[in-house]
Amino acid sequence: MIEPDFTKDNGLIPVIVQDDETKDILMLAYMNREAWLKTLETGKATYWSRSRKQLWVKGETSGNMQMVKEICIDCDEDTVLLKVDQIGGAACHTGYRSCFYRKLVDGRIEIVSEKVFNQEDVYK
């Protein structure tokens, strides 16, 4: 079976996460080989937290899980695209559907979507 090349970048590869239905880009995360294998085993998007230095299953705390529908690997085998069913409506830990909820417009940042949940209520 083909798998990403975890010999690059200290064993971490970037993962682009896209909503399988709407095609919205939800987030960018990282995987190591352990997260990759856990994702394949469970069908739940599992990542490597660079800040906490541990695996995390998306939505474990918030309930906003990502069920993997399709996995694509790029030509250099060092980036993954996960197409997911975003359970709970929000991928971003700040409460927005997508981590890309801000847009540069005329030199300033505008928020371009509504919050799905209040992060203070979810992450106590």
Side-chain angles (χ1 to χ4, degrees):
M1 177 183 82
I2 190 171
E3 72 173 28
D5 183 355
F6 292 103
T7 64
K8 299 177 183 177
D9 294 322
N10 297 318
L12 294 180
I13 57 160
V15 180
I16 302 162
V17 185
Q18 181 180 39
D19 186 293
D20 186 54
E21 185 177 322
T22 67
K23 309 305 180 211
D24 293 337
I25 302 301
L26 300 176
M27 58 184 271
L28 173 74
Y30 292 86
M31 279 185 178
N32 61 8
R33 189 163 191 274
E34 186 180 5
W36 166 259
L37 294 173
K38 193 74 166 169
T39 298
L40 294 179
E41 175 190 328
T42 65
K44 296 177 185 175
T46 304
Y47 306 107
W48 177 257
S49 171
R50 295 178 302 161
S51 59
R52 294 186 308 250
K53 307 260 187 274
Q54 66 184 35
L55 288 182
W56 58 283
V57 177
K58 182 66 179 155
E60 250 180 347
T61 303
S62 68
N64 294 297
M65 310 279 298
Q66 293 175 341
M67 301 307 297
V68 177
K69 297 295 191 180
E70 185 176 328
I71 299 173
C72 302
I73 300 175
D74 79 327
C75 58
D76 293 324
E77 298 175 353
D78 60 4
T79 304
V80 167
L81 169 63
L82 290 185
K83 296 182 182 182
V84 302
D85 180 8
Q86 178 63 56
I87 309 296
C92 185
H93 74 281
T94 63
Y96 290 90
R97 171 155 175 70
S98 168
C99 293
F100 300 97
Y101 61 91
R102 297 175 286 193
K103 181 167 92 173
L104 185 62
V105 178
D106 296 326
R108 67 182 199 295
I109 298 293
E110 288 185 9
I111 295 177
V112 294
S113 70
E114 300 292 320
K115 276 195 169 193
V116 175
F117 68 85
N118 184 337
Q119 73 267 28
E120 286 84 21
D121 295 336
V122 173
Y123 302 108
K124 297 179 182 190

